[in-house]
Amino acid sequence: MYAKFSDVECARKLFDDMPVRDEITWSSMVNGFIRNGYFVESLEMFKEMYARGFVAKPELIASVVSTCVKTGDFGLGTEIHGLVVVNGLMEEKSVFLSTALVDLYLRCQCHDSLMAFRVFERMGERNEVSWTAMISGCVANQNYGIALDCFRAMQGEGIKPNRVTLVAMLPLCTEFGFIGHGKEIHGYAFRHGFDSDICISSALMHMYCNCGGLLHSIKLIFERSTTKDVVMWSSIISCFAQSEASAEEAMKHFHQMQIEGFQPNYVTMLAVISACTTLRSLSHGRGVHGRIVKSGLVFDLFIGNSLLNMYAKCGCLTDSSNVFEEMSVRDNFSWSTIIGAYGLHGYGEEALQLFHEMQERGEEPDSITFLAVLSACNHCGFVEEGKKLFDKSVRDHKTLPSIEHYACHIDLLGRAGKVEDACDVVSTMPMNPSMKIWSSLVSACKLHGRLEVAEALAHRLVKLEPENAANHTLLSMVYAESSNWLGVEQVRKYMDAEGLRKSYGYSRIALENQG
C-alpha cells in the first residue's frame, strides 16, 4: 500500500520493523523500489534477498533485469541470467523473463547480439512483446537486415505487430530510405486503427520527412490526428523547417501551436531556430530568441548553439558573438561555430585568437574545430597559419585530417599560388581526392596562369564525372582563358546535346523588418 502511494520511506520502515519476512515481503519491497524509480536501491535489495536464501519468481526477476538495463548494470544482469539457468527457472517458460534477457543483451553497452539470439531462439513461447524487444534491439544496434527478417518471421508465426512494433520498425525505413516499406507500415497502422496513436503519427511524420520530405503526407497525418501534443507539433515544425520552400510554413505552425494553448519545449524551439536559419531571417530569429529568453530555455546548451549558428548564418556576427559570451556552458560545437563565423565574415585574426583561447581554457579541439579554423585561414588568406595548423593536426595524430580538411588546405595553397605545394599534398593524401579537390586545383591553376595543367585536370574531371555540368563549364572557362574558342564552342555544343545545364547558386539574408 505504501509503495503504491509512492511513500517509499514508510514502506521501507515497515519492512525493517517486520519480525518475520517471507518471499512475498521481499518481492513487494523490490517491486516498490522499482515502481518508484529507486533503481539502485531495488538492485541492492534484490541481492540481499538472495543472500538470505529467498528465491524470486520469474516475473520479479524480469523486472530486476529490466532495471539492470535502465542503470546500465550489465554485469549484474548476466549474473542473474546465470543464476536463473542454474536454478532451472528458464525451464518454466517465462516469456517475461526471456524477453527481459533479450532486451538486456541487445541494449546494454556490450550489445551481445549472439547471446540475445540464443535466448530468443530457446524461448518456448514468444508473443508480440518478445518479437518487439528483438526488433527494437536490432534497430537500436543498427542490425537493420536482421530486424526486417524478424518482422517478417513474426508475422509468419501468426503474431500481429502492435503499436510499439510499428514504431520500432519505422526508423529502419528512415535509415534505408525504404519509403515503400514505410507506406506498407502506414497502411497496416491505418487498417488496424493504430494511426490515431500519437506515437505512431509522430514516427510516421519523421519517416516521411527523412525519406524525401513528403510534406503532403506529413501534413495529412497531422491534420487527421484527433489528438495532438507537443511532440506532434514539434515533429511537423521540424519537418517543414528543413527546406527553404516550407520553412515559412514551419513558422506558421509554431504560431498556431501557441494559439491552441500548447507550450513549446526545447525540442520545439530547436526546430523553430532551424526554420529561422533556413530562411536566413533575422526578424524571425530575434523574435524566437526573445521567446526563448522568456521561457528560460536560453541556458540550454543545444539552444545556445543553435542560436549561435542561426545568427552567424544570418550575417549578424555581433549577435552571434553576444550569444557565445552569454553561454554559461560551451562545448566543441560552440567554439567551432563562433570560430567559423568570424572566419566567414573575414575576421581571420579573431578566429585564430578564439582557437588559441579555446586551447588555453583546456578545451581539446576536435576535427570540426580544426576544419572551422582552417576555413577561417582560407577565407582570409592566412597561408602560413593554415599550413602550421594542418601540419600540427597530422603530426599530433589527435585529430586525423579527413578529406574535408585536405580539400580546405589544398584550396588555401592553390588560392595563394602555391600550386606545386597543393599538388604535393594531393599526392600524399591517404585517401582518393574528391571532385571538389580536383575542381579546386583546376581553379587555382587557371587563376595563376598554369593553363596547361588546368586543362589536363579539367579533362580528368570531365572523364570522372561526365554528367556533371559544372565540370564542363570549368573546362570551357579554361579554354576561354587560353583563347581556345574552338574548344569553348565544342564544350557548349556537347552540353546542349546532352542536355546539361549548370545550376547557379545564390545567397539570401532576410534583414529585420524585411521578411
Side-chain angles (χ1 to χ4, degrees):
M1 189 248 332
Y2 281 123
K4 287 183 178 179
F5 278 109
S6 300
D7 194 343
V8 180
E9 289 183 7
C10 283
R12 181 61 196 261
K13 188 175 185 302
L14 182 60
F15 175 84
D16 290 339
D17 290 342
M18 289 178 71
V20 179
R21 305 175 194 133
D22 60 7
E23 180 187 304
I24 297 173
T25 317
W26 283 95
S27 299
S28 297
M29 196 64 237
V30 173
N31 265 324
F33 275 134
I34 294 172
R35 188 182 294 117
N36 290 283
Y38 291 82
F39 300 130
V40 174
E41 290 83 355
S42 69
L43 296 180
E44 292 301 321
M45 179 68 71
F46 182 75
K47 291 177 189 175
E48 189 179 347
M49 175 182 177
Y50 262 85
R52 302 218 176 194
F54 294 97
V55 178
K57 290 185 177 180
E59 289 74 18
L60 176 64
I61 299 174
S63 296
V64 173
V65 171
S66 297
T67 304
C68 291
V69 176
K70 291 172 184 173
T71 59
D73 195 342
F74 178 72
L76 179 59
T78 53
E79 287 177 20
I80 292 172
H81 187 189
L83 187 67
V84 297
V85 170
V86 170
N87 290 342
L89 291 174
M90 293 298 291
E91 298 173 5
E92 294 187 20
K93 299 181 180 179
S94 170
V95 67
F96 299 108
L97 178 53
S98 298
T99 301
L101 287 169
V102 167
D103 194 51
L104 169 78
Y105 285 113
L106 286 172
R107 291 191 180 275
C108 275
Q109 290 180 349
C110 71
H111 303 312
D112 193 345
S113 301
L114 183 60
M115 184 59 75
F117 294 147
R118 285 179 179 172
V119 175
F120 187 74
E121 287 170 358
R122 291 176 183 176
M123 289 176 69
E125 178 189 349
R126 298 173 189 152
N127 58 17
E128 67 274 13
V129 179
S130 316
W131 282 101
T132 301
M134 194 69 198
I135 291 166
S136 61
C138 288
V139 171
N141 294 336
Q142 299 183 350
N143 294 325
Y144 299 118
I146 298 172
L148 188 59
D149 291 341
C150 287
F151 185 66
R152 289 168 176 161
M154 172 186 185
Q155 295 173 83
E157 290 191 9
I159 297 173
K160 292 183 178 181
N162 59 20
R163 292 175 175 82
V164 183
T165 319
L166 300 184
V167 171
M169 279 298 295
L170 285 170
L172 184 150
C173 304
T174 302
E175 184 68 26
F176 282 133
F178 287 167
I179 189 66
H181 289 306
K183 287 181 176 179
E184 288 175 14
I185 291 173
H186 189 181
Y188 182 91
F190 181 79
R191 289 193 302 274
H192 290 80
F194 295 158
D195 60 319
S196 59
D197 184 272
I198 290 177
C199 294
I200 289 279
S201 298
S202 297
L204 283 168
M205 287 164 63
H206 181 73
M207 184 270 297
Y208 281 122
C209 182
N210 287 280
C211 288
L214 301 175
L215 298 180
H216 175 71
S217 299
I218 293 165
K219 199 168 183 178
L220 204 61
I221 293 168
F222 182 79
E223 289 173 351
R224 286 183 176 179
S225 179
T226 54
T227 306
K228 298 180 179 74
D229 63 358
V230 67
V231 176
M232 280 205 71
W233 281 102
S234 300
S235 295
I236 194 164
I237 291 169
S238 178
C239 292
F240 282 125
Q242 295 181 23
S243 165
E244 188 176 349
S246 60
E248 197 65 54
E249 191 75 20
M251 299 306 299
K252 290 178 182 177
H253 276 82
F254 175 60
H255 294 310
Q256 186 62 34
M257 171 187 184
Q258 294 172 87
I259 290 169
E260 295 190 17
F262 290 93
Q263 197 68 20
N265 60 16
Y266 85 99
V267 178
T268 319
M269 300 314 297
L270 284 172
V272 177
I273 296 169
S274 176
C276 298
T277 307
T278 303
L279 290 168
R280 302 291 192 269
S281 173
L282 267 178
S283 176
H284 284 319
R286 284 183 171 148
V288 170
H289 191 176
R291 177 74 174 78
I292 289 168
V293 170
K294 289 178 183 177
S295 62
L297 294 171
V298 72
F299 300 107
D300 182 86
L301 175 63
F302 297 108
I303 293 284
N305 283 341
S306 296
L307 286 170
L308 188 64
N309 182 54
M310 184 267 294
Y311 280 124
K313 288 186 176 177
C314 287
C316 195
L317 183 60
T318 304
D319 283 355
S320 189
S321 179
N322 288 340
V323 170
F324 180 78
E325 291 299 328
E326 290 169 5
M327 291 176 72
S328 55
V329 180
R330 299 166 186 156
D331 61 2
N332 274 16
F333 184 85
S334 316
W335 286 98
S336 301
T337 304
I338 194 66
I339 289 168
Y342 272 101
L344 184 65
H345 289 81
Y347 295 93
E349 289 183 7
E350 288 80 355
L352 284 168
Q353 186 179 340
L354 280 165
F355 179 71
H356 295 312
E357 183 185 339
M358 175 186 180
Q359 293 175 302
E360 287 169 5
R361 295 195 179 194
E363 299 283 345
E364 190 67 39
D366 59 11
S367 59
I368 299 172
T369 318
F370 268 106
L371 186 59
V373 74
L374 275 174
S375 298
C377 292
N378 196 358
H379 280 294
C380 302
F382 293 166
V383 182
E384 291 305 317
E385 291 85 349
K387 192 174 185 305
K388 285 178 184 176
L389 284 167
F390 185 82
D391 291 343
K392 185 177 185 299
S393 68
V394 173
R395 187 173 61 251
D396 291 350
H397 296 293
K398 289 182 180 178
T399 52
L400 292 175
S402 65
I403 196 163
E404 287 82 11
H405 294 84
Y406 276 99
C408 190
H409 183 49
I410 290 163
D411 189 48
L412 172 63
L413 294 172
R415 285 172 185 267
K418 298 180 179 293
V419 179
E420 288 79 8
D421 291 347
C423 290
D424 288 342
V425 173
V426 172
S427 63
T428 57
M429 285 174 62
M431 71 281 287
N432 292 324
S434 63
M435 294 299 108
K436 184 179 178 181
I437 288 175
W438 290 123
S439 176
S440 175
L441 275 178
V442 173
S443 298
C445 291
K446 182 174 75 69
L447 179 66
H448 295 284
R450 306 290 295 276
L451 298 178
E452 290 182 6
V453 180
E455 185 177 332
L457 290 173
H459 277 294
R460 183 171 186 171
L461 262 176
V462 168
K463 286 181 181 179
L464 288 170
E465 280 189 346
E467 73 286 349
N468 189 340
N471 295 336
H472 295 276
T473 304
L474 190 59
L475 176 60
S476 174
M477 291 169 67
V478 172
Y479 280 145
E481 195 73 26
S482 57
S483 301
N484 183 356
W485 304 114
L486 179 62
V488 172
E489 186 64 25
Q490 287 175 342
V491 171
R492 288 181 179 175
K493 283 182 179 179
Y494 177 83
M495 290 179 71
D496 287 338
E498 296 296 320
L500 299 175
R501 294 287 182 273
K502 187 177 183 301
S503 299
Y504 293 94
Y506 69 94
S507 299
R508 178 179 71 86
I509 294 175
L511 299 177
E512 214 164 3
N513 302 321
Q514 294 183 28

